[in-house]
Amino acid sequence: MDYYDSQQTNDYMQPEEDWDRDMLLDPAWEKQQRKTFTAWCNSHLRKAGTQIENIEEDFRDGLKLMLLLEVISGERLAKPERGKMRVHKISNVNKALDFIASKGVKLVSIGAEEIVDGNVKMTLGMIWTIILRFAIQDISVEETSAKEGLLLWCQRKTAPYKNVNIQNFHISWKDGLGFCALIHRHRPELIDYGKLRKDDPLTNLNTAFDVAEKYLDIPKMLDAEDIIGPLRPDEKAIMTYVSCYYHAFSGAQKAETAANRICKVLAVNQENEQLMEDYEKLASDLLEWIRRTIPWLENRAPENTMQAMQQKLEDFRDYRRLHKPPKVQEKCQLEINFNTLQTKLRLSNRPAFMPSEGKMVSDINNAWGGLEQAEKGYEEWLLNEIRRLERLDHLAEKFRQKASIHESWTDGKEAMLQQKDYETATLSEIKALLKKHEAFESDLAAHQDRVEQIAAIAQELNELDYYDSPSVNARCQKICDQWDNLGALTQKRREALERTEKLLETIDQLYLEYAKRAAPFNNWMEGAMEDLQDTFIVHTIEEIQGLTTAHEQFKATLPDADKERQAILGIHNEVSKIVQTYHVNMAGTNPYTTITPQEINGKWDHVRQLVPRRDQALLEEHTRQQQNERLRKQFGAQANVIGPWIQTKMEEIGRISIEMHGTLEDQLNHLRQYEKSIINYKPKIDQLEGDHQQIQEALIFDNKHTNYTMEHIRVGWEQLLTTIARTINEVENQILTRDAKGISQEQMNEFRASFNHFDRKKTGMMDSEDFRACLISMGYNMGEAEFARIMSIVDPNRLGVVTFQAFIDFMSRETADTDTADQVMASFKILAGDKNYITVDELRRELPPDQAEYCIARMAPYSGPDAVPGALDYMSFSTALYGESDL
């Protein structure tokens, strides 16, 4: 979409009419345009003592936009609105847009609302329009203006510099030498151009940008990375930046322009004279070529072969492809040179150029028109001739193909029609031969069109004077004669086939009736034999009863089946009687079936033998399934008692482990008696194992009388034994802890009550949060670090739970720590007397040797103010005995 347009026809707007949507949407180019346009605006706004930071935000109220237009135009705009409301901002922006429009620029699709809303796309488009109008439009170099003028100026200024080739406003500037060359051309003292390298664009760009900002008052609108980074720098950003260089050096350019103007006038005169000479020579050569070419195009001598005409067509294509295009270019260049020359003479106030007689542009156009007319006629003639020869070749090839296809089809057909294969054929074979003969007759009729087409093609080739017409006519006559003979043989064979068909129809009807009844009866017998011999696999008494019922139903159908067998054999006997009576030549057996009377009788006898065998097998299986059902009921009855008993005992043990009835010794005795009662239940488990073994040996896989399997019972029994043993062990450990720590029964009951209260899930374990709440309720005041230390003691495996044993271990440890410290102090004072230390000799005297040496090896020397060599202090003594954690 175009975002701005110009009412004028200036060339400066034409290359920029398309506010390139792809560029705008490209983040790299949008970033370059933001940076460049912001720097350009600030280079003017700083003259008014202000600047912008964010181009789409700082112009939203229209105030700085109006100020920018006043600075760059030198004119005063209408008084802005100072309100903060949206309507005031839109009014200010509209004033700025109206001022831009008054300068001859028509803005399309850029409205005040988009600028006020901070639309980046529209804001950048508006600033680019301002840059074009006030910074680039007025640039004029050698009769070119705006973008073309700025590009020409860059090319003129950088022409003497090596490795500089300015062709556009994007990739031509990537190596930085273009910027450096512009500065060096006008201010050579600022840059040492000879030291610059084309393969170091970053240094070149930074050098040019820094020098321009420091000495030429050109703000740094881009970073070197912006130009080097993307594949193609943003054209609008480069044009904006380069236009600042142009305006900075415009004063020096004016002097150079004056000198160039004089040289230009002299160069134009020389160029005009050379154009006149070139026109005369080019016109003469072109007219001579046209004169020689037209006779060749007017030659209409026909050729007799397609190859010769194809060669002429190829020569004509070479003329079109190789010879004519350069002459078209010469003619076009001739007209261009003539028009350019006339324009230059007119602009120089010189008289118009008059070519020699017969060499005017109109003369050349007339000659060229004659050439194209001859060319058109020659091409039409070539194509018509080729079409004519193609038609002849096509007809001849078509005749050969159709004749070959027809001859291939008729090959062997006469011998086939003369066969007497129907004399020994059966009725089905006769009918098949008739169907085949009917198909052949249809095929023969279909080929009638091909024969007629062959004759028509041969006639057309004769009319067109085809060079090989005699051979075509001979081949066509042979095809027609053969066609007539095939028709006569076809009619004769049909009559013979129809006579034989009537003779065999009676026998065939009987054969067909036999086959229709023998096939289903044979299938029934085969199915019956398969069912009677099928090995059945059943798992329940109901399944075997179903099989027995089905077998009894089958036996009830045997009398009707025997009647059907005798009827089928009667049909076969009737056929044999007809064959003997009428001496029919039967080439084979019944064509509709391969089932013989002997096979029917043999299978019937086999069926009658299999029936009693099936009776015996079903009876034996019924007896076995009755025994399996007895085993299922026996196992289910026991499993339905043992399974719930195990579950009940598990629940009772769980309750015993958390209840507080009596002393720990009472609980231990109770649990051991409970364990004894469980162990006494083992014979019932063993009895169930025996029943299960019988079920497995009988290959019984399911039992509808119970939901318990032997695996479930085993796992439950093992868990019950493990649980009672673990519970007894926990009580024994509690007794050991109580006795070792001197905990009273009341304390144990209190610990158990607290544990049970905070064991909210009733699993026999507290999680970390329940344990924390328990400690707080018991008066502990601790932070996270202290709680983490305690958890490392009670839960060393980091399972996240605290057992009752770990709980009472911790509580008994906390209770006993104070007593341990008092005992250490008392022991130390007894050994030390009135001193604050004891000597090594005193320690060895009072303690057994091995214990004394153990403490001495772990104790530090006394370091008090009255230190004595070889003396040991209280802290070292206590640490050696109990460790740092107890102090």
Side-chain angles (χ1 to χ4, degrees), residues 734-746:
Q734 292 173 21
I735 293 173
L736 290 175
T737 303
R738 182 198 64 189
D739 295 343
K741 301 296 184 178
I743 301 173
S744 65
Q745 184 62 41
E746 289 76 12

Side-chain angles (χ1 to χ4, degrees), residues 115 141 272 286 338 677 703 722:
I115 306 303
V141 178
N272 290 344
L286 186 58
F338 182 80
S677 67
N703 192 343
T722 302

Side-chain angles (χ1 to χ4, degrees), residues 753-773:
S754 298
F755 185 89
N756 289 347
H757 176 74
F758 287 95
D759 179 14
R760 306 184 194 279
K761 299 178 181 177
K762 303 305 177 186
T763 60
M765 296 179 287
M766 289 189 290
D767 60 25
S768 59
E769 293 302 319
D770 291 341
F771 181 56
R772 182 196 297 269

Side-chain angles (χ1 to χ4, degrees), residues 6-20:
S6 175
Q7 289 178 327
Q8 304 173 352
T9 58
N10 320 58
D11 290 340
Y12 88 96
M13 293 297 287
Q14 297 304 322
E16 308 304 332
E17 278 183 345
D18 190 3
W19 180 252
D20 195 325

